[in-house]
Amino acid sequence: LFVFAPTRRDGICITPSDYKRLAPGEYFNDTLVDFSLKEASSLTILASRPHMAQMTHIFGTHFYSILRDSGYSAVKNWTKGIDIFQKEYLIIPVHEKYAHSC
């Protein structure tokens, strides 16, 4: 359907199957969670507090599970070019098995 931030490396592609998950009674998938976090941060942080955009880094939904299951070496390049120690806010979505919200 469309790509959020198509010119950036971290662009998110929303497909027709992702779109169907927006129907009542359906669960969001990882793509929709990633999109929601990026979109909300763009609208909220950049519009109302542009300085916070430089102070915040949002990891994708797979970051935590890959770090937990495979260790640091599997995610060490996820922040290549970003000094997370200079950030004041790190947002790490955590999805545990069987934990869903509607």
Side-chain angles (χ1 to χ4, degrees):
L1 291 173
F2 63 91
V3 178
F4 176 74
T7 59
R8 294 188 349 212
R9 192 181 100 198
D10 62 345
I12 299 171
C13 180
I14 303 296
T15 66
S17 65
D18 296 325
Y19 182 74
K20 289 178 185 175
R21 293 200 163 269
L22 297 173
E26 293 290 327
Y27 293 114
F28 274 25
N29 61 13
D30 293 324
T31 302
L32 292 173
V33 172
D34 283 340
F35 171 80
S36 298
L37 287 169
K38 300 257 183 197
E39 178 69 10
S41 69
S42 292
L43 293 175
T44 305
I45 294 174
L46 295 177
S48 63
R49 299 181 188 124
H51 67 283
M52 290 203 48
Q54 297 299 317
M55 299 170 20
T56 306
H57 180 74
I58 301 172
F59 287 91
T61 54
H62 293 286
F63 176 80
Y64 173 75
S65 59
I66 292 174
L67 175 64
R68 180 194 62 215
D69 298 340
S70 303
Y72 169 74
S73 62
V75 297
K76 68 182 180 182
N77 291 328
W78 284 41
T79 56
K80 190 174 185 176
I82 299 167
D83 185 356
I84 62 169
F85 298 104
Q86 294 297 316
K87 304 292 183 182
E88 290 194 34
Y89 306 99
L90 298 176
I91 299 173
I92 304 170
V94 176
H95 171 89
E96 290 294 332
K97 193 173 187 180
Y98 308 114
H100 293 283
S101 60
C102 294

